[in-house]
Amino acid sequence: MAKDDKGAEAVAAVEAVAEQKEKAIAAFNDIDWDALTRTGSFLNFTEVAILTRAHDSMLEVTFSNQEEGEKYVELLLKALVKVTSDARVTKYVLTKMEEILSGPDLVKRSKYFLDSSGKVDCSPFLSLLRGLKAENSDENYIGRTAGLVLASLLSVQRGELENMIALLAELLGYINVKDRRSNQKDARLPIAIQILAVSLRKDAARAMFARHGGVGLLIKLLRMQGNDASAQLLYDLVFCLWTLSLCEDVLPDFLSEGAIPILVEQVTALPREKVVRVAIATLRTLAAPSATQTTTQQGFVQEMMRAGLTKTLRHLRARNWADDDIAVDVEHLYNKLMSDYHELSTFEMYQQEVRSGQLKWGLCHTEKFWRNNVRSMEADDFALLKQLGELLGSADEEVVSIACYDIGEFVRFYPNGKSLVNQSQFNLKTKIMALIESPNTNVQRQALQAVSKIMVQKWEFVK
């Protein structure tokens, strides 16, 4: 999908939700409130009058009187629980709740939703959230709005850990499916991620989600998104990662799960300005000095360099951005990378790359690099050479191809390298020969060339 198409799709999605909200509010006058009062079990005439007065007034007017605001929220909660036979009532009530909790008065107004024990009653919201359907449906508006209202409430209330766990469990049920590829177009996924983004405003929610492999899950979902990915879904996924990047204890997960190349892709692809903004903000947070995660932070910077972020930032500096924060973050991150680049030797970058297990073609995998740095491989009894041997068994075929290339270049330039790789502690020749039968043509080619370098005396004559 072209960038313009993505932009149009994102606008259409926003407009669709706005239209549903307008319909939900407009339906107030079509609801047979008299019928709901006649049963005597739903609402009485006084309560309907209060709802009508609030409907005809600005929210600011209703909540300018604390007692009136409390009574209004009480009636909305009552209608949500009692009136289950008319979907129009449910949509109206949830839409008004979302409006009430939007804006700077969220913390103050959220207290009106607490029960007598001072907690949020999650049951009606979770019940509606469970009604989400895999296909696109107007009915999903109810589940989506119920989830957003509940997430907003829990994100600002102290405690509420049990309720937050219950909400996250429901969301993980929609997100963490076994066969994610077949569920990529599941309409519940973007809704669940949107609700998750609101939930992760709370520190405790971030810690809980991270403990359940949250960073890795979000990275896998980002990897799955193809050219037709929704800009809004990309934004929500990266926003969730940004919130997690604020937790120092979670930072090692970003490195181990390979988050940096995926975030750099979001910046390089320029899917939409708001996606770039939050991706750059996440990368800037990860690159910032950390008192407790110094080694991890250095690893982030080196990963960014290997992923080509410096070149991308150089281009982005020349762009005009509607959001000034992007320009500030781009400049700050560019200066940070350039400063660290001059302090870091090429071989140190190579060490970090091998240890991370994420080999990528670049300056560290060239004849010039190996000619200049081959002696550095002697450190710690050829520890890096042993690690290259382990990477020959990687599930990533590009990593295997590069490991073959590097071992071949080591053999070319290191004195007695041919006999060294045949030693039992390395056994690299046998491992590489097995890869000649690989179904992947790139692995085949690099393995064949590496074996040739091991067996041929003067490789430069047969290249």
Side-chain angles (χ1 to χ4, degrees):
M1 184 181 291
K3 292 177 184 177
D4 289 345
D5 293 337
K6 284 186 181 181
E9 180 226 13
V11 171
V14 172
E15 289 178 346
V17 173
E19 183 179 354
Q20 286 179 308
K21 288 183 179 181
E22 289 179 8
K23 287 181 178 179
I25 297 300
F28 182 88
N29 295 320
D30 298 327
I31 297 170
D32 190 351
W33 295 103
D34 289 339
L36 297 177
T37 60
R38 282 195 293 271
T39 63
S41 60
F42 295 143
L43 302 168
N44 59 44
F45 288 109
T46 302
E47 291 171 337
V48 170
I50 294 173
L51 289 174
T52 302
R53 184 167 64 251
H55 174 75
D56 294 333
S57 305
M58 300 286 288
L59 283 178
E60 290 75 11
V61 175
T62 301
F63 285 93
S64 62
N65 183 302
Q66 181 175 334
E67 185 177 347
E68 189 172 345
E70 289 177 351
K71 185 62 178 177
Y72 181 46
V73 171
E74 179 187 331
L75 291 177
L76 290 175
L77 287 168
K78 180 179 179 180
L80 184 66
V81 174
K82 296 283 188 180
V83 185
T84 58
S85 59
D86 192 335
R88 294 174 301 175
V89 175
T90 304
K91 287 181 180 180
Y92 175 82
V93 166
L94 289 171
T95 303
K96 294 306 293 186
M97 287 180 175
E98 188 178 17
E99 285 185 11
I100 291 168
L101 297 172
S102 299
D105 293 327
L106 168 60
V107 176
K108 179 181 178 181
R109 292 179 178 177
S110 67
K111 294 176 181 177
Y112 298 148
F113 288 79
L114 304 182
D115 60 21
S116 58
S117 65
K119 293 185 177 296
V120 177
D121 181 5
C122 290
S123 54
F125 299 101
L126 291 176
S127 177
L128 294 171
L129 178 59
R130 294 183 187 115
L132 287 174
K133 300 187 182 302
E135 64 277 5
N136 280 312
S137 168
D138 286 345
E139 295 177 32
N140 279 348
Y141 177 78
I142 291 177
R144 169 196 167 277
T145 313
L148 289 174
V149 169
L150 180 57
S152 296
L153 290 171
L154 297 181
S155 70
V156 295
Q157 290 299 319
R158 292 182 179 180
E160 298 285 4
L161 293 184
E162 289 184 9
N163 284 334
M164 183 59 81
I165 290 172
L167 174 58
L168 290 177
E170 293 295 333
L171 297 179
L172 283 169
Y174 292 132
I175 298 169
N176 194 17
V177 291
K178 292 182 180 178
D179 186 2
R180 292 192 182 92
R181 291 196 178 277
S182 66
N183 285 272
Q184 189 168 351
K185 299 305 180 183
D186 190 327
R188 296 171 296 185
L189 174 62
I191 293 173
I193 296 297
Q194 188 178 10
I195 298 169
L196 177 66
V198 176
S199 304
L200 293 182
R201 296 172 184 170
K202 192 181 185 75
D203 289 344
R206 297 172 194 167
M208 285 187 282
F209 184 64
R211 282 199 297 271
H212 286 80
V215 173
L217 181 54
L218 293 170
I219 293 300
K220 287 177 183 177
L221 288 172
L222 272 173
R223 283 198 183 104
M224 282 172 47
Q225 306 311 310
N227 294 329
D228 60 344
S230 159
Q232 184 60 48
L233 177 57
L234 292 176
Y235 172 80
D236 289 332
L237 286 168
V238 179
F239 179 87
C240 289
L241 285 171
W242 173 74
T243 64
L244 293 173
S245 74
L246 302 175
C247 306
E248 289 215 345
D249 291 344
V250 181
L251 294 183
D253 292 353
F254 280 81
L255 206 55
S256 63
E257 296 292 346
I260 299 302
I262 301 300
L263 289 168
V264 172
E265 278 182 23
Q266 297 306 314
V267 175
T268 305
L270 297 171
R272 195 163 170 81
E273 187 164 305
K274 68 178 185 178
V275 181
V276 174
R277 181 183 72 241
V278 72
I280 287 287
T282 306
L283 290 167
R284 178 176 176 176
T285 301
L286 295 174
S290 169
T292 61
Q293 301 284 351
T294 304
T295 302
T296 302
Q297 183 268 337
Q298 292 173 347
F300 287 142
V301 172
Q302 291 157 22
E303 283 281 303
M304 292 176 199
M305 291 178 183
R306 284 197 294 271
L309 182 58
T310 307
K311 179 180 179 181
T312 298
L313 292 174
R314 195 175 295 123
H315 293 151
L316 296 184
R317 293 171 79 205
R319 287 178 65 99
N320 292 320
W321 301 98
D323 187 338
D324 292 338
D325 287 343
I326 299 179
V328 172
D329 284 347
V330 165
E331 191 66 22
H332 179 93
L333 191 53
Y334 178 76
N335 290 335
K336 169 66 177 173
L337 294 188
M338 292 305 294
S339 172
D340 283 23
Y341 175 78
H342 293 302
E343 296 175 4
L344 196 66
S345 74
T346 310
F347 191 75
E348 286 173 325
M349 292 177 63
Y350 180 72
Q351 282 180 307
Q352 291 293 332
E353 187 174 338
V354 174
R355 288 167 182 167
S356 74
Q358 303 293 319
L359 303 184
K360 298 289 181 184
W361 290 110
L363 293 175
C364 295
H365 309 286
T366 61
E367 179 179 322
K368 180 180 179 181
F369 169 82
W370 281 102
R371 191 185 297 275
N372 295 334
N373 293 282
V374 71
R375 286 283 185 181
S376 299
M377 294 289 287
E378 297 171 350
D380 299 323
D381 194 23
F382 297 93
L384 283 179
L385 188 61
K386 293 174 184 175
Q387 288 177 295
L388 282 175
E390 293 171 2
L391 292 179
L392 291 174
S394 171
D396 188 327
E397 291 168 333
E398 183 181 32
V399 171
V400 177
S401 297
I402 297 173
C404 287
Y405 173 84
D406 286 355
I407 292 169
E409 291 298 271
F410 170 80
V411 168
R412 284 181 66 197
F413 296 110
Y414 189 78
N416 205 30
K418 293 180 176 64
S419 62
L420 193 64
V421 297
N422 278 316
Q423 292 181 11
S424 58
Q425 62 173 318
F426 301 109
N427 197 28
L428 297 181
K429 179 180 175 182
T430 302
K431 291 180 179 180
I432 295 175
M433 288 188 71
L435 292 171
I436 294 176
E437 302 298 325
S438 169
N440 182 278
T441 55
N442 289 327
V443 172
Q444 259 188 29
R445 184 174 67 254
Q446 293 298 339
L448 185 59
Q449 289 185 359
V451 169
S452 299
K453 292 172 186 177
I454 293 171
M455 300 180 70
V456 175
Q457 291 301 314
K458 293 188 177 181
W459 167 255
E460 60 271 20
F461 294 136
V462 294
K463 276 196 299 185

